[in-house]
Amino acid sequence: DIQMTQSPSTLSASVGDRVTITCRASQSISSWLAWYQQKPGKAPKLLIYKASSLESGVPSRFSGSGSGTEFTLTISSLQPDDFATYYCQQYNSYSLTFGGGTKVEIK
Amino acid sequence: QVQLQESGPGLVKPSETLSLTCTVSGYSISSGYYWGWIRQPPGKGLEWIGSIYHSGSTYYNPSLKSRVTISVDTSKNQFSLKLSSVTAADTAVYYCARNIAAAGKFDYWGQGTLVTVSS
């Protein structure tokens, strides 16, 4: 299985901050990476796919980058609605795996 | 608008089989895409369980493969999960979701259903 490692596991930030979350794959996954946002008690929501493509309806303050084994999710100006947990997911192989999650908390 | 809804018992006894069904509306399963199950233990991260195509072709998480069966009923626009020999470690919120491809992103999700394994 391809292992996905996210860092940090928790991030404290303020409204308006630029936030960056990192996801590393245990082997190259080309650009086959998605990012999800999950709020308490809710299902995950797809934000980014193919490493940098923004899902329809997702605000442009979210962006993704990277290829191979290292990827980042950036929120350019953190909004109150963005406090949540974020997960990466690789789909380079038929055995799909998620990162452990990054919780973005209010500072 | 594609919608998915999980249903099934919220409590299962240890060693028994967990059974859940996902009903899809707003899209015909027969039209394509894969359909998957993902779970999330309380306070923990997401784990993919497996996915199925309308033809019945399946892909499973290797760590669960020996206990998992996913099936599809296109006439009812539903797909189902069976997980055998459950233990407390299988207690989780179970989500169904549309999987763009066998190796793909999940673009539509159900709300999730909590299944507790306890005697």
Side-chain angles (χ1 to χ4, degrees), chain B residues 2-36:
Chain B
V2 180
Q3 294 185 313
L4 298 92
Q5 178 68 58
E6 307 87 353
S7 59
L11 180 65
V12 181
K13 289 183 168 56
S15 79
E16 295 190 345
T17 296
L18 177 159
S19 296
L20 295 173
T21 295
C22 182
T23 301
V24 180
S25 58
Y27 187 86
S28 171
I29 286 179
S30 298
S31 296
Y33 295 120
Y34 275 76
W35 303 86

mmCIF file of all heavy atoms in Angstrom, chain B residues 2-36:
data_model
loop_
_atom_site.group_PDB
_atom_site.id
_atom_site.type_symbol
_atom_site.label_atom_id
_atom_site.label_comp_id
_atom_site.label_asym_id
_atom_site.label_seq_id
_atom_site.Cartn_x
_atom_site.Cartn_y
_atom_site.Cartn_z
ATOM 1 N N VAL B 2 -26.749 14.440 -7.376
ATOM 2 C CA VAL B 2 -26.506 13.087 -6.897
ATOM 3 C C VAL B 2 -26.597 13.066 -5.372
ATOM 4 O O VAL B 2 -25.991 13.896 -4.695
ATOM 5 C CB VAL B 2 -25.113 12.608 -7.337
ATOM 6 C CG1 VAL B 2 -24.859 11.195 -6.841
ATOM 7 C CG2 VAL B 2 -24.978 12.689 -8.852
ATOM 8 N N GLN B 3 -27.360 12.112 -4.843
ATOM 9 C CA GLN B 3 -27.462 11.961 -3.400
ATOM 10 C C GLN B 3 -27.287 10.495 -3.036
ATOM 11 O O GLN B 3 -27.727 9.606 -3.774
ATOM 12 C CB GLN B 3 -28.814 12.478 -2.892
ATOM 13 C CG GLN B 3 -28.979 13.985 -3.059
ATOM 14 C CD GLN B 3 -30.253 14.515 -2.450
ATOM 15 O OE1 GLN B 3 -31.317 13.954 -2.657
ATOM 16 N NE2 GLN B 3 -30.159 15.596 -1.694
ATOM 17 N N LEU B 4 -26.620 10.255 -1.915
ATOM 18 C CA LEU B 4 -26.401 8.910 -1.417
ATOM 19 C C LEU B 4 -26.877 8.841 0.035
ATOM 20 O O LEU B 4 -26.694 9.792 0.798
ATOM 21 C CB LEU B 4 -24.922 8.525 -1.484
ATOM 22 C CG LEU B 4 -24.282 8.479 -2.876
ATOM 23 C CD1 LEU B 4 -23.653 9.825 -3.236
ATOM 24 C CD2 LEU B 4 -23.240 7.379 -2.944
ATOM 25 N N GLN B 5 -27.468 7.716 0.406
ATOM 26 C CA GLN B 5 -27.994 7.554 1.754
ATOM 27 C C GLN B 5 -27.700 6.151 2.257
ATOM 28 O O GLN B 5 -28.146 5.161 1.665
ATOM 29 C CB GLN B 5 -29.505 7.799 1.771
ATOM 30 C CG GLN B 5 -30.155 7.605 3.131
ATOM 31 C CD GLN B 5 -29.725 8.656 4.135
ATOM 32 O OE1 GLN B 5 -29.901 9.851 3.916
ATOM 33 N NE2 GLN B 5 -29.157 8.218 5.252
ATOM 34 N N GLU B 6 -26.960 6.085 3.371
ATOM 35 C CA GLU B 6 -26.655 4.796 3.985
ATOM 36 C C GLU B 6 -27.808 4.342 4.881
ATOM 37 O O GLU B 6 -28.488 5.171 5.498
ATOM 38 C CB GLU B 6 -25.384 4.884 4.832
ATOM 39 C CG GLU B 6 -24.154 5.430 4.143
ATOM 40 C CD GLU B 6 -24.035 6.939 4.186
ATOM 41 O OE1 GLU B 6 -24.994 7.607 4.639
ATOM 42 O OE2 GLU B 6 -22.989 7.469 3.755
ATOM 43 N N SER B 7 -27.990 3.032 4.968
ATOM 44 C CA SER B 7 -28.998 2.488 5.884
ATOM 45 C C SER B 7 -28.527 1.132 6.386
ATOM 46 O O SER B 7 -27.787 0.421 5.703
ATOM 47 C CB SER B 7 -30.357 2.359 5.190
ATOM 48 O OG SER B 7 -30.273 1.512 4.065
ATOM 49 N N GLY B 8 -28.990 0.787 7.592
ATOM 50 C CA GLY B 8 -28.625 -0.485 8.183
ATOM 51 C C GLY B 8 -28.596 -0.401 9.690
ATOM 52 O O GLY B 8 -28.748 0.691 10.258
ATOM 53 N N PRO B 9 -28.386 -1.524 10.363
ATOM 54 C CA PRO B 9 -28.366 -1.544 11.828
ATOM 55 C C PRO B 9 -27.256 -0.688 12.407
ATOM 56 O O PRO B 9 -26.140 -0.666 11.872
ATOM 57 C CB PRO B 9 -28.129 -3.030 12.149
ATOM 58 C CG PRO B 9 -28.520 -3.763 10.929
ATOM 59 C CD PRO B 9 -28.222 -2.856 9.780
ATOM 60 N N GLY B 10 -27.558 -0.010 13.509
ATOM 61 C CA GLY B 10 -26.557 0.813 14.172
ATOM 62 C C GLY B 10 -25.775 0.049 15.226
ATOM 63 O O GLY B 10 -24.784 0.567 15.746
ATOM 64 N N LEU B 11 -26.212 -1.162 15.519
ATOM 65 C CA LEU B 11 -25.552 -1.967 16.542
ATOM 66 C C LEU B 11 -25.389 -3.401 16.029
ATOM 67 O O LEU B 11 -26.365 -4.006 15.556
ATOM 68 C CB LEU B 11 -26.361 -1.956 17.831
ATOM 69 C CG LEU B 11 -25.806 -2.743 19.015
ATOM 70 C CD1 LEU B 11 -24.481 -2.132 19.484
ATOM 71 C CD2 LEU B 11 -26.819 -2.766 20.164
ATOM 72 N N VAL B 12 -24.176 -3.899 16.081
ATOM 73 C CA VAL B 12 -23.877 -5.258 15.636
ATOM 74 C C VAL B 12 -23.086 -5.962 16.737
ATOM 75 O O VAL B 12 -22.202 -5.347 17.351
ATOM 76 C CB VAL B 12 -23.068 -5.247 14.317
ATOM 77 C CG1 VAL B 12 -22.777 -6.672 13.850
ATOM 78 C CG2 VAL B 12 -23.810 -4.478 13.234
ATOM 79 N N LYS B 13 -23.384 -7.225 16.953
ATOM 80 C CA LYS B 13 -22.669 -7.984 17.993
ATOM 81 C C LYS B 13 -21.320 -8.480 17.474
ATOM 82 O O LYS B 13 -21.159 -8.765 16.276
ATOM 83 C CB LYS B 13 -23.511 -9.169 18.445
ATOM 84 C CG LYS B 13 -24.743 -8.802 19.265
ATOM 85 C CD LYS B 13 -25.483 -10.045 19.727
ATOM 86 C CE LYS B 13 -26.524 -9.723 20.777
ATOM 87 N NZ LYS B 13 -27.486 -8.716 20.331
ATOM 88 N N PRO B 14 -20.340 -8.574 18.371
ATOM 89 C CA PRO B 14 -19.033 -9.122 17.957
ATOM 90 C C PRO B 14 -19.180 -10.500 17.324
ATOM 91 O O PRO B 14 -20.038 -11.295 17.743
ATOM 92 C CB PRO B 14 -18.273 -9.196 19.288
ATOM 93 C CG PRO B 14 -18.896 -8.161 20.149
ATOM 94 C CD PRO B 14 -20.352 -8.153 19.776
ATOM 95 N N SER B 15 -18.358 -10.749 16.312
ATOM 96 C CA SER B 15 -18.288 -11.989 15.519
ATOM 97 C C SER B 15 -19.394 -12.076 14.466
ATOM 98 O O SER B 15 -19.344 -12.975 13.615
ATOM 99 C CB SER B 15 -18.329 -13.244 16.408
ATOM 100 O OG SER B 15 -19.632 -13.551 16.823
ATOM 101 N N GLU B 16 -20.364 -11.165 14.509
ATOM 102 C CA GLU B 16 -21.431 -11.205 13.508
ATOM 103 C C GLU B 16 -21.050 -10.400 12.261
ATOM 104 O O GLU B 16 -19.921 -9.915 12.148
ATOM 105 C CB GLU B 16 -22.733 -10.708 14.134
ATOM 106 C CG GLU B 16 -23.243 -11.624 15.235
ATOM 107 C CD GLU B 16 -24.636 -11.290 15.714
ATOM 108 O OE1 GLU B 16 -25.139 -10.191 15.415
ATOM 109 O OE2 GLU B 16 -25.237 -12.129 16.417
ATOM 110 N N THR B 17 -21.980 -10.313 11.319
ATOM 111 C CA THR B 17 -21.722 -9.622 10.057
ATOM 112 C C THR B 17 -22.443 -8.280 10.007
ATOM 113 O O THR B 17 -23.644 -8.204 10.260
ATOM 114 C CB THR B 17 -22.164 -10.486 8.864
ATOM 115 O OG1 THR B 17 -21.367 -11.684 8.832
ATOM 116 C CG2 THR B 17 -21.991 -9.742 7.542
ATOM 117 N N LEU B 18 -21.675 -7.253 9.704
ATOM 118 C CA LEU B 18 -22.202 -5.902 9.532
ATOM 119 C C LEU B 18 -22.732 -5.793 8.108
ATOM 120 O O LEU B 18 -22.029 -6.177 7.147
ATOM 121 C CB LEU B 18 -21.060 -4.906 9.765
ATOM 122 C CG LEU B 18 -21.235 -3.400 9.611
ATOM 123 C CD1 LEU B 18 -20.123 -2.682 10.382
ATOM 124 C CD2 LEU B 18 -21.239 -2.949 8.176
ATOM 125 N N SER B 19 -23.952 -5.286 7.969
ATOM 126 C CA SER B 19 -24.551 -5.139 6.629
ATOM 127 C C SER B 19 -25.126 -3.741 6.475
ATOM 128 O O SER B 19 -25.940 -3.304 7.293
ATOM 129 C CB SER B 19 -25.673 -6.167 6.421
ATOM 130 O OG SER B 19 -25.172 -7.478 6.456
ATOM 131 N N LEU B 20 -24.699 -3.059 5.427
ATOM 132 C CA LEU B 20 -25.188 -1.717 5.132
ATOM 133 C C LEU B 20 -25.558 -1.612 3.658
ATOM 134 O O LEU B 20 -24.973 -2.294 2.816
ATOM 135 C CB LEU B 20 -24.129 -0.663 5.450
ATOM 136 C CG LEU B 20 -23.719 -0.489 6.904
ATOM 137 C CD1 LEU B 20 -22.544 0.471 7.011
ATOM 138 C CD2 LEU B 20 -24.884 0.003 7.745
ATOM 139 N N THR B 21 -26.518 -0.751 3.387
ATOM 140 C CA THR B 21 -26.938 -0.488 2.011
ATOM 141 C C THR B 21 -26.842 1.000 1.727
ATOM 142 O O THR B 21 -27.116 1.824 2.610
ATOM 143 C CB THR B 21 -28.374 -0.974 1.783
ATOM 144 O OG1 THR B 21 -28.413 -2.399 1.924
ATOM 145 C CG2 THR B 21 -28.882 -0.595 0.393
ATOM 146 N N CYS B 22 -26.444 1.334 0.529
ATOM 147 C CA CYS B 22 -26.398 2.724 0.086
ATOM 148 C C CYS B 22 -27.375 2.896 -1.074
ATOM 149 O O CYS B 22 -27.262 2.199 -2.096
ATOM 150 C CB CYS B 22 -24.991 3.089 -0.351
ATOM 151 S SG CYS B 22 -24.797 4.823 -0.863
ATOM 152 N N THR B 23 -28.326 3.784 -0.902
ATOM 153 C CA THR B 23 -29.301 4.076 -1.954
ATOM 154 C C THR B 23 -28.909 5.363 -2.655
ATOM 155 O O THR B 23 -28.693 6.396 -2.002
ATOM 156 C CB THR B 23 -30.712 4.207 -1.366
ATOM 157 O OG1 THR B 23 -31.064 2.981 -0.703
ATOM 158 C CG2 THR B 23 -31.730 4.499 -2.461
ATOM 159 N N VAL B 24 -28.795 5.288 -3.970
ATOM 160 C CA VAL B 24 -28.372 6.430 -4.784
ATOM 161 C C VAL B 24 -29.580 7.051 -5.476
ATOM 162 O O VAL B 24 -30.423 6.326 -6.028
ATOM 163 C CB VAL B 24 -27.329 5.988 -5.835
ATOM 164 C CG1 VAL B 24 -26.891 7.180 -6.683
ATOM 165 C CG2 VAL B 24 -26.124 5.343 -5.150
ATOM 166 N N SER B 25 -29.674 8.359 -5.437
ATOM 167 C CA SER B 25 -30.716 9.066 -6.178
ATOM 168 C C SER B 25 -30.070 10.175 -7.006
ATOM 169 O O SER B 25 -28.975 10.642 -6.686
ATOM 170 C CB SER B 25 -31.768 9.644 -5.232
ATOM 171 O OG SER B 25 -31.186 10.520 -4.298
ATOM 172 N N GLY B 26 -30.745 10.548 -8.083
ATOM 173 C CA GLY B 26 -30.228 11.597 -8.943
ATOM 174 C C GLY B 26 -29.214 11.121 -9.969
ATOM 175 O O GLY B 26 -28.705 11.913 -10.760
ATOM 176 N N TYR B 27 -28.906 9.852 -9.967
ATOM 177 C CA TYR B 27 -27.951 9.278 -10.928
ATOM 178 C C TYR B 27 -28.179 7.776 -10.967
ATOM 179 O O TYR B 27 -28.366 7.139 -9.931
ATOM 180 C CB TYR B 27 -26.515 9.572 -10.510
ATOM 181 C CG TYR B 27 -25.496 9.160 -11.553
ATOM 182 C CD1 TYR B 27 -25.146 10.026 -12.592
ATOM 183 C CD2 TYR B 27 -24.899 7.898 -11.518
ATOM 184 C CE1 TYR B 27 -24.234 9.656 -13.564
ATOM 185 C CE2 TYR B 27 -23.994 7.510 -12.489
ATOM 186 C CZ TYR B 27 -23.663 8.393 -13.506
ATOM 187 O OH TYR B 27 -22.767 8.010 -14.470
ATOM 188 N N SER B 28 -28.140 7.203 -12.155
ATOM 189 C CA SER B 28 -28.302 5.755 -12.294
ATOM 190 C C SER B 28 -26.954 5.069 -12.166
ATOM 191 O O SER B 28 -26.016 5.371 -12.919
ATOM 192 C CB SER B 28 -28.920 5.414 -13.656
ATOM 193 O OG SER B 28 -28.890 4.016 -13.864
ATOM 194 N N ILE B 29 -26.849 4.152 -11.231
ATOM 195 C CA ILE B 29 -25.597 3.407 -11.044
ATOM 196 C C ILE B 29 -25.181 2.740 -12.354
ATOM 197 O O ILE B 29 -23.983 2.636 -12.664
ATOM 198 C CB ILE B 29 -25.764 2.360 -9.920
ATOM 199 C CG1 ILE B 29 -25.783 3.040 -8.541
ATOM 200 C CG2 ILE B 29 -24.674 1.316 -9.980
ATOM 201 C CD1 ILE B 29 -25.963 2.088 -7.382
ATOM 202 N N SER B 30 -26.148 2.307 -13.138
ATOM 203 C CA SER B 30 -25.862 1.616 -14.405
ATOM 204 C C SER B 30 -25.184 2.516 -15.432
ATOM 205 O O SER B 30 -24.613 2.026 -16.405
ATOM 206 C CB SER B 30 -27.158 1.072 -15.008
ATOM 207 O OG SER B 30 -27.749 0.131 -14.154
ATOM 208 N N SER B 31 -25.236 3.838 -15.211
ATOM 209 C CA SER B 31 -24.654 4.774 -16.173
ATOM 210 C C SER B 31 -23.137 4.846 -16.079
ATOM 211 O O SER B 31 -22.478 5.384 -16.990
ATOM 212 C CB SER B 31 -25.240 6.171 -15.964
ATOM 213 O OG SER B 31 -26.621 6.172 -16.236
ATOM 214 N N GLY B 32 -22.588 4.332 -14.975
ATOM 215 C CA GLY B 32 -21.133 4.339 -14.882
ATOM 216 C C GLY B 32 -20.629 4.727 -13.512
ATOM 217 O O GLY B 32 -21.380 4.818 -12.556
ATOM 218 N N TYR B 33 -19.319 4.945 -13.427
ATOM 219 C CA TYR B 33 -18.592 5.274 -12.201
ATOM 220 C C TYR B 33 -18.506 4.063 -11.271
ATOM 221 O O TYR B 33 -19.242 3.074 -11.422
ATOM 222 C CB TYR B 33 -19.215 6.456 -11.449
ATOM 223 C CG TYR B 33 -19.144 7.760 -12.194
ATOM 224 C CD1 TYR B 33 -20.309 8.449 -12.529
ATOM 225 C CD2 TYR B 33 -17.933 8.303 -12.576
ATOM 226 C CE1 TYR B 33 -20.245 9.644 -13.225
ATOM 227 C CE2 TYR B 33 -17.861 9.503 -13.266
ATOM 228 C CZ TYR B 33 -19.022 10.165 -13.582
ATOM 229 O OH TYR B 33 -18.957 11.347 -14.270
ATOM 230 N N TYR B 34 -17.604 4.166 -10.343
ATOM 231 C CA TYR B 34 -17.501 3.193 -9.270
ATOM 232 C C TYR B 34 -18.213 3.763 -8.041
ATOM 233 O O TYR B 34 -18.461 4.968 -7.959
ATOM 234 C CB TYR B 34 -16.024 2.911 -8.948
ATOM 235 C CG TYR B 34 -15.411 1.850 -9.827
ATOM 236 C CD1 TYR B 34 -15.055 2.115 -11.141
ATOM 237 C CD2 TYR B 34 -15.202 0.560 -9.347
ATOM 238 C CE1 TYR B 34 -14.501 1.131 -11.948
ATOM 239 C CE2 TYR B 34 -14.641 -0.434 -10.143
ATOM 240 C CZ TYR B 34 -14.296 -0.131 -11.443
ATOM 241 O OH TYR B 34 -13.750 -1.117 -12.238
ATOM 242 N N TRP B 35 -18.525 2.887 -7.109
ATOM 243 C CA TRP B 35 -19.269 3.268 -5.911
ATOM 244 C C TRP B 35 -18.572 2.627 -4.723
ATOM 245 O O TRP B 35 -18.325 1.430 -4.723
ATOM 246 C CB TRP B 35 -20.727 2.824 -6.048
ATOM 247 C CG TRP B 35 -21.328 3.421 -7.281
ATOM 248 C CD1 TRP B 35 -21.271 2.909 -8.549
ATOM 249 C CD2 TRP B 35 -21.989 4.691 -7.384
ATOM 250 N NE1 TRP B 35 -21.873 3.781 -9.433
ATOM 251 C CE2 TRP B 35 -22.321 4.869 -8.757
ATOM 252 C CE3 TRP B 35 -22.337 5.680 -6.465
ATOM 253 C CZ2 TRP B 35 -22.993 6.018 -9.215
ATOM 254 C CZ3 TRP B 35 -23.007 6.808 -6.918
ATOM 255 C CH2 TRP B 35 -23.325 6.963 -8.275
ATOM 256 N N GLY B 36 -18.224 3.450 -3.735
ATOM 257 C CA GLY B 36 -17.346 2.958 -2.692
ATOM 258 C C GLY B 36 -17.856 3.103 -1.268
ATOM 259 O O GLY B 36 -18.835 3.814 -1.004
#
